[in-house]
């Protein structure tokens, strides 16, 4: 059994044996997708709340969802963070799956100290990452957590 994280099925039907190594486990990406989607929902709920109502219990609660997402991203090593950035770019349509190496290379070059802040600044990060996985034939909802 290999120590490497699971790869991605080939990019075309003829390449069934070829796999793209994302450089990050798909379970880790799935957990980050879940946290990002939860963070997006929390932000949307906060925008819809009447913040002038002192009786609102939720207004006093801190947003731990955003902190959880930031922690998940911050715990990744530099290569995993770069892979996450590249995956978001693929999901956004900046790169195609067959341009993975190029996207990953550029993400490694541009990886900054505040990767979490950069990624969390992307609108609908969870959906972008899910779309990135889908571009490689992986359905995030089918990933075991």
């Amino acid at each position: 059994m290999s120590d490497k994280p699971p790869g991605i099925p080939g990019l075309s039907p003829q390449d069934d044996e070829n796999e793209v190594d994302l450089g990050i486990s798909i379970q880790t990406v799935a957990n980050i997708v879940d946290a990002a989607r939860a963070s997006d929902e929390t932000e949307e709920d906060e925008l819809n709340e009447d913040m002038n109502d002192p009786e609102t219990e939720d207004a006093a609660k801190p947003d731990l969802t955003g902190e959880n997402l930031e922690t998940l991203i911050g715990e990744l090593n530099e290569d995993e963070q770069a892979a996450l950035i590249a995956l978001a770019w693929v999901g956004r349509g900046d790169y195609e799956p067959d341009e993975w190496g190029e996207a990953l290379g550029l993400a490694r070059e541009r990886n900054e100290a505040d990767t979490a802040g950069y990624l969390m600044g992307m609108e609908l990060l969870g959906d972008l990452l899910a779309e990135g996985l889908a571009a490689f034939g992986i359905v995030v909802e089918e990933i075991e957590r």
Side-chain angles (χ1 to χ4, degrees):
M1 188 150 212
S2 173
D3 290 327
K4 292 194 311 187
I8 303 303
L11 300 177
S12 68
Q14 300 94 340
D15 294 82
D16 288 338
E17 293 180 23
N18 292 338
E19 292 186 353
V20 173
D21 181 6
L22 288 180
I24 186 171
S25 82
I26 58 173
Q27 290 83 9
T28 299
V29 176
N31 289 333
I32 291 172
V33 167
D34 292 344
R37 286 178 171 168
S39 181
D40 286 344
E41 288 175 13
T42 301
E43 288 175 20
E44 186 176 313
D45 288 346
E46 287 176 2
L47 289 174
N48 292 330
E49 283 182 3
D50 181 11
M51 298 307 276
N52 293 329
D53 184 4
E55 302 285 323
T56 305
E57 269 184 52
D58 291 337
K61 294 181 183 175
D63 174 21
L64 299 179
T65 310
E67 290 176 20
N68 182 42
L69 177 59
E70 187 173 5
T71 299
L72 286 172
I73 295 170
E75 289 175 345
L76 300 175
N77 66 40
E78 287 182 21
D79 288 336
E80 291 169 324
Q81 289 179 355
L84 204 60
I85 291 169
L87 197 57
W89 289 345
V90 169
R92 191 168 62 187
D94 296 343
Y95 291 91
E96 295 297 319
D98 62 352
E99 299 172 313
W100 177 251
E102 183 182 337
L104 190 56
L106 186 59
R108 283 185 177 132
E109 281 179 29
R110 293 190 178 175
N111 194 6
E112 299 173 7
D114 189 20
T115 300
Y118 171 72
L119 287 168
M120 291 173 65
M122 290 183 175
E123 232 175 276
L124 301 173
L125 173 62
D127 292 342
L128 292 177
L129 294 172
E131 287 295 320
L133 288 175
F136 290 101
I138 297 174
V139 179
V140 75
E141 289 78 16
E142 295 176 1
I143 298 171
E144 191 173 317
R145 298 188 200 30

